[in-house]
């Protein structure tokens, strides 16, 4: 139980998917202009991260390894992720049309979110069992939401800040992201 808690905290904060691993920078910069958008993107991506890990781990361990198809890992994982995003999209369209309409653009972007692929591959490379992989995915998903919400808060403060002309717009976002990464790097020695 302590190991699972360690994996959860480590994946969410110490080894944060955005601030430490530098994955999912596109939605991190592009979708954090408003807290509602950032939270919606974070929740939708988190759901796909957890679902993709739950599906890709057994495919890899029970099918790909026995058939010696490990070299197709990235290709198969991308196909699984794209299929899962389509299933989630169909489910939302039928079951919760209001949420589907508000997140229509977000769902398509999740397919190309490298954090989803990165988490699934990390579970395999870290040699986690199925339970550990799911805990790692949940922690990474929480870390993704945390990073999105923090950046949306920073961006709301930047709207009223006096930013030098050379840094206005996207450059100041990358400067702010680098400072946030440095802050999260401070957690590295904790676990």
């Amino acid at each position: 139980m302590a190991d699972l808690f360690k994996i959860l905290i480590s994946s969410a904060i110490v080894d944060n998917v955005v601030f430490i691993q530098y994955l999912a920078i596109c939605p991190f910069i592009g979708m954090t202009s408003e807290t509602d958008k950032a939270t919606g993107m974070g929740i939708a991506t988190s759901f796909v991260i957890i679902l993709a890990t739950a599906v890709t781990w057994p495919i890899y361990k029970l099918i790909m390894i026995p058939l010696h198809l490990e070299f197709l890992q990235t290709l198969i994982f991308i196909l699984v992720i794209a299929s899962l995003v389509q299933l989630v999209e169909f489910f939302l369209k039928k079951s919760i049309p209001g949420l589907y309409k508000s997140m229509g653009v977000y769902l398509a972007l999740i397919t190309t979110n490298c954090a989803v692929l990165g988490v699934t591959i990390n579970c395999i490379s870290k040699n986690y069992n199925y339970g550990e992989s799911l805990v790692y995915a949940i922690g990474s998903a929480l870390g993704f939401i945390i990073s999105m919400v923090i950046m949306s808060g920073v961006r709301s403060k930047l709207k009223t800040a006096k930013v030098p002309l050379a840094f206005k717009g996207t450059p100041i976002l990358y400067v702010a992201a680098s400072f946030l990464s440095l802050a999260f790097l401070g957690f590295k020695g904790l676990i």
Side-chain angles (χ1 to χ4, degrees):
M1 189 66 163
D3 287 340
L4 294 180
F5 184 71
K6 182 179 171 184
I7 290 171
L8 181 74
I9 296 300
S10 177
S11 59
I13 298 172
V14 178
D15 199 24
N16 186 282
V17 73
V18 175
F19 293 133
I20 302 300
Q21 296 181 41
Y22 305 113
L23 297 174
I25 298 299
C26 293
F28 175 71
I29 296 296
M31 295 301 208
T32 53
S33 59
E34 298 171 16
T35 304
D36 292 344
K37 284 184 184 179
T39 305
M41 181 64 169
I43 291 169
T45 303
S46 295
F47 180 73
V48 173
I49 285 173
I50 295 165
L51 192 60
T53 302
V55 172
T56 56
W57 191 93
I59 288 173
Y60 186 83
K61 296 289 185 176
L62 303 175
I63 298 171
M64 294 174 66
I65 289 177
L67 295 175
H68 305 290
L69 297 173
E70 300 92 352
F71 64 95
L72 293 174
Q73 177 187 29
T74 303
L75 176 66
I76 290 174
F77 283 16
I78 288 172
L79 290 173
V80 167
I81 291 165
S83 300
L84 289 173
V85 170
Q86 287 299 309
L87 288 174
V88 168
E89 191 172 346
F90 291 145
F91 174 77
L92 289 177
K93 190 174 188 179
K94 282 279 192 197
S95 304
I96 314 169
L99 183 61
Y100 171 76
K101 287 180 183 175
S102 69
M103 296 190 64
V105 149
Y106 301 138
L107 290 172
L109 290 174
I110 295 170
T111 303
T112 60
N113 190 329
C114 59
V116 179
L117 180 62
V119 169
T120 59
I121 290 175
N122 282 345
C123 289
I124 301 300
S125 67
K126 291 177 184 277
N127 205 22
Y128 286 150
N129 63 34
Y130 191 66
E132 291 169 338
S133 294
L134 290 177
V135 170
Y136 180 83
I138 291 167
S140 296
L142 288 173
F144 182 74
I145 292 172
I146 289 168
S147 64
M148 295 291 283
V149 171
I150 288 173
M151 188 60 172
S152 68
V154 168
R155 286 184 76 164
S156 70
K157 294 293 184 186
L158 285 174
K159 288 177 184 175
T160 59
K162 290 186 177 185
V163 178
L165 185 60
F167 289 104
K168 281 201 184 279
T170 307
I172 195 65
L173 298 179
Y174 284 107
V175 170
S178 67
F179 286 131
L180 289 170
S181 291
L182 284 172
F184 270 71
L185 192 59
F187 295 116
K188 207 62 166 154
L190 294 178
I191 295 179

